[in-house]
Amino acid sequence: MKLTLDRAALLKPLAALNRIVEKRTTIPILSNILLKAADGRLTLQATDLDMEATAGVAAEVEMPGAITLPSATLHDIARKMPDGGRISMEANADGTHVVVKSGRSRFTVIALPPGDFPDLSAGEMPHSFSMPAKTLARMIEQTRFAISTEETRYYLNGIYLHVADGEDGPWLTAVATDGHRLARARAAVPEGAAGMPGIIVPRKAVGELVRMLDTTGDVAVSLSPAKIRFAIGDEVLTSKLIDGTYPDYLRVIPQGNDKRATLDREAMAQATDRVATVSSERGRAVKFEFETGRVAMSVTSPESGEAHEEMEADYEAAPLTIGFNAKYMAEILGSLDCDKVAVTMADAGSPTLIVTPDDDSLLLVLMPMRV
C-alpha cells in the first residue's frame, strides 16, 4: 500500500473514528484502525466489537492495499502536522510496518495484518429506509438526555426506535427514559419502515450518530433485530442493538392531568436555574407553587439558605404546589425548541406532562419530587 493525501482530509475522519476505538483493550487489533487504499480513495474503519464506523477520503493511490495501524498514534501524527500539508503512507512488503511522511517528518509505525480485523457489518439487514438526516437528528437530540446510565437496567441504556400507532396514524417514534423522566419524539413513517421491529440503539452509538447527522441530505437506515446501520455519503455507522425488551412506556404517560400552565420556556429555564443555586447538590429540588396567573419557584436549603422567584403563567386551575429536580427540568426545557411550554399536572405526586402547545411531535414526562 502506498498513497498520498491532504493532512486535513485525513484528520477529520481519524478524529471521529478514534473516539470509537477502545483505549484499554486486551485485543491488540481493536486498538488499530483499518486502512484500505484503492481507486483513488482511502477507506478507514474502526470498531470496538459493539460498534463499527467507516469513512472515506480522496487520496492519490500509487499502490492499492490494506493495513491496520494504531488509531491513537496515527491520529496524533496527523494532528501535529502543519496545516495545509500532505501526508504519505507506504507499507513494507511484509505489512509489518508503515512509513508515514509529512514535510521533513518521518515516522515508522508498527502494523498488524488486516485479515485479523473484525467485520461487524456482515449479515443481512432486511429492513431499509431513508429519511432526512435533520429529522432523525432532531428526534435523537430531543430524547437522548433521558437515556438511563444505570447498568442494571441495561434495556434503558439506549433509545427505543419503533413504529407506534397514534390517534392520527402510525409514527416513527424515539423514546428514552431513566425512570425519572421520559422523552418521546416522533416523525412521519419513512417509506420502507412500516414493518421494522422495535429496536434499542445503545447510548454510545447514539452519541456518534448525533455527530454524524450534523449535515443536510438523507440518511439511509438498514436494520435487523440484532444490528443497525446508518449511512450518509462516505460515512457509515454500524452498531449492535441492545438485546432486551423495552418496557411499556405508554403506561407512564399521564392521560388525566387537568391542571395546565403555559409559560415562557426561556424565562422558566432561567428562573429555575437561578433559584437552584442554593439547592443541595444531592436533591436539587425546586418548589413550584402554581396560582392563578403566576408561578413561584423557591428553594430552602439548611446549608446554603433560601431563594425565591416569581413569573407570569397562564394558569387558571386550583392552586398546586409541586417539586421538581432542577437538573431534570433544565434538560427537558433545553430539549424544546419553542417560545412557550405547557405543563399539565394532576397533583403533587403524579407524573407531569410537558409539551409544546402547537406541536405534538414531542412529549415529555417528569416525575415530581417531595419538597
Side-chain angles (χ1 to χ4, degrees):
M1 184 186 80
K2 185 178 182 181
L3 61 93
T4 305
L5 75 168
D6 290 337
R7 174 254 186 190
L10 177 62
L11 184 59
K12 183 179 178 181
L14 275 179
L17 298 183
N18 195 48
R19 290 195 298 268
I20 293 175
V21 176
E22 288 288 349
K23 302 300 182 290
R24 297 182 180 88
T25 177
T26 57
I27 307 173
I29 196 72
L30 295 184
S31 297
N32 281 23
I33 196 165
L34 175 64
L35 298 98
K36 296 179 181 178
D39 303 323
R41 295 196 66 77
L42 174 66
T43 301
L44 305 96
Q45 186 173 319
T47 184
D48 63 359
L49 294 183
D50 290 319
M51 183 167 57
E52 175 186 283
T54 303
V57 294
E60 297 176 9
V61 180
E62 295 183 44
M63 186 181 300
I67 202 76
T68 78
L69 295 175
S71 176
T73 302
L74 187 58
H75 176 248
D76 282 345
I77 290 173
R79 181 174 57 84
K80 294 175 180 179
M81 291 298 104
D83 291 338
R86 303 269 289 172
I87 292 177
S88 68
M89 289 184 275
E90 182 176 359
N92 68 340
D94 297 331
T96 56
H97 66 265
V98 172
V99 175
V100 182
K101 296 180 183 178
S102 181
R104 297 183 179 182
S105 300
R106 173 191 169 100
F107 305 85
T108 301
V109 185
I110 303 301
L112 290 176
D116 295 343
F117 200 83
D119 183 10
L120 192 64
S121 60
E124 290 292 322
M125 295 191 184
H127 303 278
S128 299
F129 59 89
S130 294
M131 63 185 297
K134 292 294 185 184
T135 301
L136 183 57
R138 173 188 59 81
M139 295 175 67
I140 291 173
E141 285 286 11
Q142 290 177 333
T143 54
R144 68 172 180 148
F145 69 90
I147 295 175
S148 175
T149 57
E150 186 181 333
E151 298 300 331
T152 54
R153 294 195 291 177
Y154 65 93
Y155 47 85
L156 298 182
N157 295 162
I159 289 180
Y160 180 43
L161 192 65
H162 61 295
V163 174
D165 290 328
E167 294 180 359
D168 44 359
W171 294 86
L172 180 65
T173 305
V175 175
T177 183
D178 61 3
H180 302 289
R181 62 264 174 92
L182 179 144
R184 185 196 72 183
R186 57 187 190 175
V189 179
E191 184 177 351
M196 66 173 279
I199 58 170
I200 307 172
V201 184
R203 181 174 58 245
K204 185 175 179 180
V206 167
E208 287 303 311
L209 187 57
V210 167
R211 178 201 59 78
M212 179 180 172
L213 293 174
D214 186 21
T215 182
T216 56
D218 289 351
V219 53
V221 183
S222 303
L223 60 96
S224 70
K227 287 187 289 190
I228 190 166
R229 180 170 60 237
F230 303 92
I232 298 178
D234 290 321
E235 288 191 86
V236 181
L237 179 69
T238 305
S239 175
K240 291 182 180 178
L241 299 169
I242 293 176
D243 184 13
T245 301
Y246 209 78
D248 183 7
Y249 65 90
L250 293 175
R251 297 172 57 187
V252 180
I253 300 175
Q255 303 296 327
N257 289 10
D258 57 351
K259 299 176 179 64
R260 180 184 177 98
T262 303
L263 309 98
D264 182 278
R265 181 189 65 85
E266 185 64 27
M268 183 181 181
Q270 293 177 359
T272 303
D273 182 54
R274 282 192 291 267
V275 297
T277 303
V278 300
S279 66
S280 65
E281 286 297 321
R282 184 175 181 181
R284 295 189 62 82
V286 175
K287 181 192 293 185
F288 289 75
E289 296 176 272
F290 290 92
E291 296 179 359
T292 302
R294 60 181 281 276
V295 58
M297 287 155 280
S298 61
V299 170
T300 301
S301 170
E303 298 87 11
S304 305
E306 300 180 358
H308 181 91
E309 186 160 341
E310 294 185 9
M311 64 175 289
E312 294 180 356
D314 182 3
Y315 183 77
E316 298 180 354
L320 175 65
T321 298
I322 190 169
F324 295 115
N325 181 295
K327 177 177 180 289
Y328 293 165
M329 179 62 78
E331 289 178 337
I332 282 179
L333 295 175
S335 71
L336 294 164
D337 183 17
C338 58
D339 295 327
K340 297 290 185 179
V341 60
V343 181
T344 63
M345 303 156 285
D347 53 57
S350 299
T352 293
L353 189 63
I354 302 173
V355 296
T356 302
D358 55 354
D359 182 9
D360 62 356
S361 67
L362 178 62
L363 177 150
L364 303 141
V365 179
L366 179 59
M367 295 298 296
M369 294 180 68
R370 289 180 179 272
V371 289

